[in-house]
Each structure stands twice: as C-alpha cells, then as structure tokens.
Amino acid sequence: MQCIFCKVESSSSVSVEHIVPESLWNTKHVLPHGVVCDTCNNYFAREIEKPFLDSAAIKQLRFLEGIPNKRGRIPAASAILMPKFPAAITRDLKGDGPMIVDVSEEAIAHLMNSSGGTLLLPMGGRQPDDRVISRFLAKMAIEAMAYRLLSSDGGVDYIAIEAQLDPLRRFARRGEPKNWPHHARRIYPADSKVAGKGDNVLQTVHEFDFLVTEHNEWYFVFALFGLELVINMGGAEIEGYVAWLVRNEGASPLYQGKNARPNDN
Ligand SMILES: [Zn+2]
C-alpha cells in the first residue's frame, strides 16, 4: 500500500485520516490507516488543519454553533466586557447550559461597583488566509476521491499514481505553487436548520461533492455551515467554476442535478 500523498510504502502506518477534521464533527468520512501515511497525517494536522481551525472566524463559528473539539470541549470565544475589559467565554456541550465568563480582577472590581456589565462578542473574526483554505481544500479533495474509491479494487492505488493529481498533491503537501485560488460564497445562512425524521431538526455542519463540468474540469465543492468553498482539482485557476456558475444561474453543485433537494426551486 502507498500513501496517496507522498507515495511511500505505508502499510505499517497506524493513524486513520479524517477527511474533514474531527473537530468539525466528522465521524463518518474517515480513511483507514495507510491510505494517508502517519507522516503526512501529522503534517496536515499541524500545518493545514490547525491554522484553519484556530483562525478567529472558525473558532467563533465553533463557539456559536457549539461544536466540541476532540476532547469534547467547545473552544472559548474572546469577548469584551464593557467598557474595556477583555473576557473569555466558555460554554458547555449542550449549549443551553450556563456560559462561563473569565475576566480579570480589574473587571470584577468594576462589576462590583456598577450595576452590571454588558458583554460584547465581536463578530466576523479574521478568516483563515486564502492559502490555508486552498491547501485545506486540496487535502480534502484528494482524500474525498480516495474515499469514493475505497470499495473498488485498486481504486485507492489509482489515486496514488494518477499523474493528473500531482500538482494538487504537491500544493497540499508543500504549498507549491504559492497561489492556488479557490471560490468562496455563502449558499445558506450559517444557522439554517433542515427538518429531520420526526421532530428532529438537523443542522448541516459540512458536506462535500465533486462537480465535473461539460469541459471535463473537476472541482471539489465543500460547504461548512453554508459557506461554499470550491477548488479546481486540475490546475491553479478558478475561472471555469465562475463560468459554470453563470451558466447555472448561481446554483450550488451541492444542490443541483442528482443532489437537488425536493424543496428546492
Ligand atoms: Zn505520506
């Protein structure tokens, strides 16, 4: 068996690879050990997933939506206790439990002498950089393709040897070339809920699919809380996707054709 990224013999690797990080509630899309070798797995966790997950915007989203990390904790959010005291807010897993606010002694002294304090949670924290997002997409794209081929004989080996995937592989592994653009837009509000079975209300955290255009260009389409992120698997350009969107009146490939939802217009 060889690693789908660095192509080294990887039969003895022990780690399983989460296509979407576990910290974003993924327990389903997982590649068995050896598909991605331990070295690449550790490298991606450190150099790609961590910078993505630790960006202010994603942390804030995880806090607001109550998504726990691997240790079952929801990341704390930074806030400001008016008029000027920095604060950290933590919340428990259920989300409806108490919020715990951690502030300085100076802020406590201020609160004791006033009738209360207003806590502001700043919105729209810094997004991960474009390059981090693109590399995150490149990594997931190759893994998602391997995941689709897991049950077919020789399918995963095909991913490892397919030369057309080499540029995208190099970008995920080494960040070369420097720029590989992606397309980002919101396709539904971050907190939109969809009806599940019975009285359950489900929230879509993440979903992904591939788009193959009539020009035979392959795109990986990923959505995180309604933020659609798209990367071209064949080359460092995104114009083909923009043109596809124009031809399809802005539909998302996630909800078009075979994926169309019955309630879609
Ligand atoms: Zn590897």
Side-chain angles (χ1 to χ4, degrees), residues 3 5-8 36-37 39-40:
C3 170
F5 287 99
C6 68
K7 310 187 188 189
V8 301
V36 178
C37 76
T39 308
C40 288

Side-chain angles (χ1 to χ4, degrees), residues 62-260:
R62 289 166 64 201
F63 172 81
L64 292 171
E65 304 294 341
I67 303 180
N69 62 18
K70 280 192 239 178
R71 292 184 297 278
R73 287 193 214 113
I74 297 168
S78 306
I80 295 178
L81 180 65
M82 291 301 280
K84 59 171 182 173
F85 305 104
I89 316 176
T90 42
R91 57 186 282 192
D92 72 4
L93 265 181
K94 290 236 165 88
D96 43 9
M99 300 230 257
I100 300 161
V101 181
D102 183 19
V103 291
S104 63
E105 284 181 22
E106 193 191 359
I108 293 169
H110 167 80
L111 278 179
M112 304 286 270
N113 292 319
S114 65
S115 55
T118 304
L119 199 61
L120 289 187
L121 186 65
M123 298 300 294
R126 200 178 52 79
Q127 300 279 341
D129 346 306
D130 280 349
R131 202 170 121 80
V132 166
I133 298 174
S134 287
R135 287 184 75 193
F136 182 63
L137 292 170
K139 178 209 91 100
M140 290 191 295
I142 290 173
E143 292 178 352
M145 217 168 197
Y147 183 81
R148 289 265 163 107
L149 296 174
L150 272 182
S151 56
S152 68
D153 240 6
V156 174
D157 297 334
Y158 160 80
I159 299 292
I161 57 175
E162 174 54 57
Q164 288 191 54
L165 288 172
D166 284 346
L168 191 67
R169 219 184 315 260
R170 196 175 312 120
F171 180 64
R173 287 185 65 217
R174 303 200 183 284
E176 294 162 10
K178 204 164 185 310
N179 295 307
W180 191 304
H182 62 266
H183 188 273
R185 64 176 175 144
R186 185 156 287 290
I187 51 173
Y188 50 84
D191 59 354
S192 70
K193 308 279 195 287
V194 294
K197 279 183 190 157
D199 290 334
N200 293 329
V201 174
L202 304 173
Q203 184 177 22
T204 305
V205 175
H206 50 75
E207 51 198 320
F208 58 77
D209 205 348
F210 296 96
L211 166 70
V212 184
T213 68
E214 45 276 64
H215 303 297
N216 209 28
E217 294 168 326
W218 280 70
Y219 293 92
F220 174 67
V221 185
F222 173 71
L224 179 65
F225 287 115
L227 177 67
E228 181 203 77
L229 298 166
V230 180
I231 194 167
N232 182 349
M233 299 184 70
E237 62 84 23
I238 197 69
E239 287 74 16
Y241 184 63
V242 177
W244 183 90
L245 281 179
V246 170
R247 289 195 299 278
N248 291 275
E249 297 171 334
S252 174
L254 292 170
Y255 303 112
Q256 195 246 12
K258 68 185 187 329
N259 295 325

